[in-house]
Amino acid sequence: MRKHLGSRKTRSVLSLLILAVGLSIVVSACGSSNKSSTTSGGGGGGGGSSTSSQAADVTKCGTKPGVKATGTPIKLGAIVTKQPGTDFTDGATMADAYFHCVNDNGGINGHPIQYKWYEEQTNPAQIAGFAHKLIQTDKVVGVVGGFSIIECAVDHKYWESLGIYELDAGIAPECWGTSNSAPPNMGPRYSSDGAVQGVVRAGAKKIAFDQSNVPGTGYIAAGPASVAKALNVPIQQFKDNVPIQDANSIALKLVQAAGSDGGVVLNFTPPEALKILQAAQQQNLQDRVKAWACSTPCNTDFVAKALGQQWDGKLLVNAELNVTDNNGPQTRLYRAVFDKYGSKVSGGLGSFSQMGFVMAQQTVMALESIKGGTYNIKTVNQAIKNLKGFKTDMLCKPWYYGQAPLHIPNNTDYTTTPHNGKMVIKDGCIPINAADPGIAQVRAIEKKDPSLSQPGTPVPGA
Amino acid sequence: MPSWEDFKPFIITGLALGGVYALSGVGMVVLYRATGVLNLAFGAVGAMGALIAWQLINHNGWAEGPAFAACVLFGGAVTLLYGVIFGPPLASRDPLIKATATLGLTLVLLGVMDLIWSDKARSMILPTSNHGFEVSNVFVNYTEVIAIAFALGVMAVTAVFLRFTKTGTAMRALANDREITATLGVPVRRVEAAAWLGSGLLSGAAGLLLSNLVGLDAATLTFLVISSLAATLIGRLRSITVTFIAAIVIGLVNALITPILSISQYRDMTPFVLATIALLVLSGRRGSALSGRAG
């Protein structure tokens, strides 16, 4: 009898262990609900919590201020990553906000933009399914404003086969290394290159580089390695699983690896980077190295505010886009659109939503260049491909698409640092080191056709 | 291989991490011993409590004290509500079914947190985190000390409560046989409600401490319970002391692996590897003992 009870208890406990292991696999494999959001022309939501210093006129979004677009919708779509530890939805929600603004002010020659995006959890089959759904079911004519970890890798051949020129931000190398994708950001690899340059400028003699353990880390790691080598600084690379549960040990590990005259460079999403930085702070480690740096995701006031003043001037963030409170016309419009239409932009003002805004503006600029009023896959994507000289105060130099085997149009960027709960510019536009082979290749393309990065037609709202 | 000097700081971080696991683990064992329910929503309840405290401080202008109290009370209220509504109908079901049912609450809370707060960077620094002392050149802040002391305190108080109080004795009787305990005149529902409330208050307090020690992130705090579960399984869901010790060992091993770069990235497996080894050893010993007794 006792034996029976004992084995039953053991079975129960073992069952619960299996349940726990299963749960942990589910946690790492899948995220929150797989939902999609659809928006069509019409009013946007309420206000966010903008810190705009000078209000801009949102009627500048379109060509007919105050006139709602009522024509046949132009359908656009995107695929974005949303899973525990990685939420890239701010790009799409901000693009959506801008499209709402455009629709409220005349649309594209009277046509409203109808925008739909799907949220994926780094599952290739799911992502491929969404791509087919966008084209076959939703009948989109352009794929713009997406921001995903692996979407470029999964779908680029499909887009190429359809003649779609994707306007996307991302992580996978294919976002920058293929003919049919051109992002407004430079991605984790080149942004990490910039962060490495930042800590070396701050005097670091050795670098500890850490990033989240997600697909594509080898590709990202190669960039900082080549730049560090060119700068004659040794680099030690790490990967850590996300969501991070033990940030204290990670912070300690990185500080030990960098040494007192070294620098720590992080390539994580804001919540994960914040955990490491706060752990460093709680262990008094922030002054134990020459400098701390982050790739672009940290360039958000959320991080600056959460870190507090102890990190003011101590954290260098490679910022692919300008700070959100600069007073250029595009940034003022971005803040105004966020205020009026950006209620779904949960991360607030920051790099991700800026990217969404830039991509939306690029899309509108391309759509407005189409003559004859026919908006199909062929005309829309030809117009997107023809974009060049796109000048905005959010980027260091004019952006372009063009016909090329790879696209890294954003290859010169800023360095920011926290100050009183906000990110401020520390260093102005500095080119990413061409020791990274991709950068060297794209500089050669720009040299061959200088018109690509020369300022062209003013963007909407300028 | 890192030197002893390299390992030393990780002992401190390991103890803090162990304290984190112990907090959740002990809280889950307390409830399991009283109701037979392994509450997998323990982390989610604490996470939501912490986010509510953050919201009250940063957006509603509350002082820290009342906001922290609201976090703890939220934990107690939600867990009590779940226990009162779903406890009795599930009382006679298999422990695995009861545990799985709490996943429902976990998913609901996760959904609500995602809807209200999304997955964005935010933090809540307790005043105790800004002060501390140095041990072997390693800074230890008072929140880490409180976490370990709190887990120890909970362990001691619970052991005394279960052994020497009337309600504690009733809880132990309930865990053994609900039907017989009811026939003896024990107010079963009231005792169970007390257990749910106590465990819930504990989850709120744990959420508050963990949001500071680990990070104010819904998913991380919710699923931290999985690592803590390994400690409770080593304690075979009965022994609070073994659960506490197991949690500390898991935290220590996890942290001490960190500087060993060749295996560092596999350290998240530590709780499950240790739980599996412990269960196999315990099963083997029990089997030998039983066969020896039979022979």
Side-chain angles (χ1 to χ4, degrees), chain A residues 2-3 6-7 9-10 12-17 19-21 23-24 27 32-33 35 82-90 213 236 238-241 243-250 252-253 256 270-272 274-275 278 281-284 288 302-303 305-307 310 346-347 352, chain B residues 5-7 9-10 13-14 16-17 21 38 40 94-96 99-100 103 114 118-125 129-130 137-139 141 144 212-215 217 219-220 223-224 226-227 229 233 236-238 254-255 258-259 261 264-265 267-268 272 275-276 279 283 286 290 293:
Chain A
R2 281 179 65 86
K3 185 173 181 177
S7 61
K9 192 175 281 179
T10 302
S12 264
V13 171
L14 279 170
S15 305
L16 288 165
L17 176 66
L19 178 66
V21 174
L23 265 175
S24 69
V27 170
S32 52
S33 62
K35 65 183 179 185
K82 185 176 182 187
Q83 62 189 23
T86 312
D87 183 349
F88 291 157
T89 54
D90 278 359
N213 191 11
Q236 194 170 359
F238 302 91
K239 289 187 287 186
D240 281 297
N241 295 332
I244 291 170
Q245 290 196 357
D246 181 17
N248 285 344
S249 295
I250 293 173
L252 202 52
K253 169 181 77 175
Q256 277 189 354
E272 302 304 318
L274 187 63
K275 286 180 195 168
Q278 283 191 330
Q281 185 179 320
Q282 289 183 12
Q283 295 176 90
N284 269 359
R288 294 264 294 271
F302 264 78
V303 170
K305 197 175 172 192
L307 281 174
Q310 294 187 54
S346 55
F352 291 175
Chain B
E5 284 302 312
D6 291 332
F7 276 120
F10 289 94
T13 62
L17 185 66
Y21 292 152
L38 186 63
L40 297 174
D94 187 82
L96 195 59
T100 307
L103 276 179
D114 186 54
S118 77
D119 192 11
K120 298 299 172 193
R122 50 178 65 85
S123 69
M124 188 164 60
I125 306 289
S129 296
N130 297 323
N137 287 328
V138 180
F139 186 78
N141 69 55
E144 290 171 331
N212 198 87
L213 293 167
V214 180
D217 172 55
T220 307
F223 294 108
L224 198 67
I226 298 170
S227 301
L229 190 54
L233 294 178
R236 297 179 68 81
L237 300 165
R238 312 296 298 171
N254 201 341
T258 310
L261 300 182
S264 179
Q265 63 176 301
R267 66 202 179 97
D268 286 354
F272 306 111
T276 306
L279 285 175
S283 305
R286 181 172 287 265
L290 287 172
R293 207 173 290 165

Side-chain angles (χ1 to χ4, degrees), chain A residues 44-49 93-94 96-98 100 334-348:
Chain A
S49 54
T93 49
M94 190 66 211
D96 185 47
Y98 183 69
H100 272 130
Y334 154 71
R335 290 195 298 260
V337 170
F338 172 82
D339 275 346
K340 185 165 184 191
Y341 298 94
S343 61
K344 290 180 191 163
V345 186
S346 55

Side-chain angles (χ1 to χ4, degrees), chain A residues 3-213:
Chain A
K3 185 173 181 177
H4 172 71
L5 283 173
S7 61
R8 202 174 68 175
K9 192 175 281 179
T10 302
R11 272 205 308 274
S12 264
V13 171
L14 279 170
S15 305
L16 288 165
L17 176 66
I18 291 164
L19 178 66
V21 174
L23 265 175
S24 69
I25 293 166
V26 170
V27 170
S28 58
C30 74
S32 52
S33 62
N34 168 21
K35 65 183 179 185
S36 62
S37 295
T38 312
T39 55
S40 55
S49 54
S50 162
T51 53
S52 53
S53 53
Q54 283 185 0
D57 183 2
V58 289
T59 61
K60 285 186 175 179
C61 291
T63 50
K64 289 185 180 171
V67 180
K68 277 188 189 293
T70 53
T72 321
I74 300 169
K75 295 180 178 177
L76 303 171
I79 297 167
V80 300
T81 301
K82 185 176 182 187
Q83 62 189 23
T86 312
D87 183 349
F88 291 157
T89 54
D90 278 359
T93 49
M94 190 66 211
D96 185 47
Y98 183 69
F99 292 147
H100 272 130
C101 186
V102 170
N103 293 344
D104 280 355
N105 294 286
I108 308 294
N109 295 321
H111 297 277
I113 293 169
Q114 195 175 83
Y115 189 51
K116 178 167 193 169
W117 71 91
Y118 290 103
E119 293 169 4
E120 52 84 7
Q121 286 80 40
T122 338
N123 176 345
Q126 180 197 37
I127 292 167
F130 285 153
H132 283 80
K133 208 170 174 189
L134 279 172
I135 300 298
Q136 292 163 8
T137 309
D138 303 318
K139 308 285 183 198
V140 303
V141 293
V143 181
V144 300
F147 198 153
S148 163
I149 293 175
I150 58 170
E151 192 275 331
C152 297
V154 175
D155 292 332
H156 78 97
K157 284 192 175 158
Y158 182 54
W159 302 137
E160 284 163 23
S161 72
L162 295 172
I164 284 177
Y165 287 83
E166 192 179 14
L167 265 174
D168 56 344
I171 303 287
E174 288 80 1
C175 298
W176 294 270
T178 55
S179 59
N180 288 45
S181 167
N185 65 329
M186 61 177 67
R189 172 169 170 155
Y190 305 114
S191 182
S192 297
D193 288 358
V196 165
Q197 290 174 238
V199 293
V200 173
R201 282 200 303 278
K205 301 281 186 283
K206 188 185 177 193
I207 293 163
F209 175 73
D210 194 15
Q211 58 178 323
S212 50
N213 191 11

Side-chain angles (χ1 to χ4, degrees), chain B residues 60-71:
Chain B
N60 297 76
W62 282 40
E64 285 182 340
F68 296 159
C71 168

